[in-house]
Amino acid sequence: RNSYSPVVLLPGNKSVRLAVNNPVIDGRLYLSVTAPGTVHLYSTAGALMYAGFTGAGLQSIDVSNMPPGIYILRVGNLREKI
């Protein structure tokens, strides 16, 4: 049985919005963005765990090598704790 986090839509400018729903499935972080941009994933200690560019739409990032826990996802100037 799976449990899912609610979808989080972060308000932003008209070109960038971020939606995350049960972020990690099978070692992949799924997110949807309305415009291409740079994605950063940080540990709660502030260590940069991932940096990359993503296109608009539904995207996934391989996070299978990261330990389970809480991370800070940043796309542009939007941030969300996941």
Side-chain angles (χ1 to χ4, degrees):
R1 181 177 155 145
N2 295 325
S3 65
Y4 297 97
S5 303
V7 172
V8 176
L9 183 61
L10 300 175
N13 63 36
K14 294 179 181 176
S15 65
V16 179
R17 290 188 183 219
L18 171 67
V20 178
N21 184 9
N22 191 33
V24 178
I25 300 172
D26 294 329
R28 299 205 61 89
L29 170 67
Y30 290 90
L31 56 127
S32 178
V33 293
T34 58
T38 303
V39 175
H40 295 93
L41 191 61
Y42 297 93
S43 70
T44 54
L48 179 62
M49 305 298 288
Y50 174 86
F53 187 81
T54 186
L58 181 62
Q59 305 293 323
S60 69
I61 299 168
D62 182 5
V63 294
S64 60
N65 62 338
M66 297 179 199
I70 297 172
Y71 293 89
I72 307 299
L73 178 65
R74 184 173 63 122
V75 178
N77 63 350
L78 304 176
R79 294 176 189 207
E80 176 66 18
K81 193 180 289 188
I82 58 171

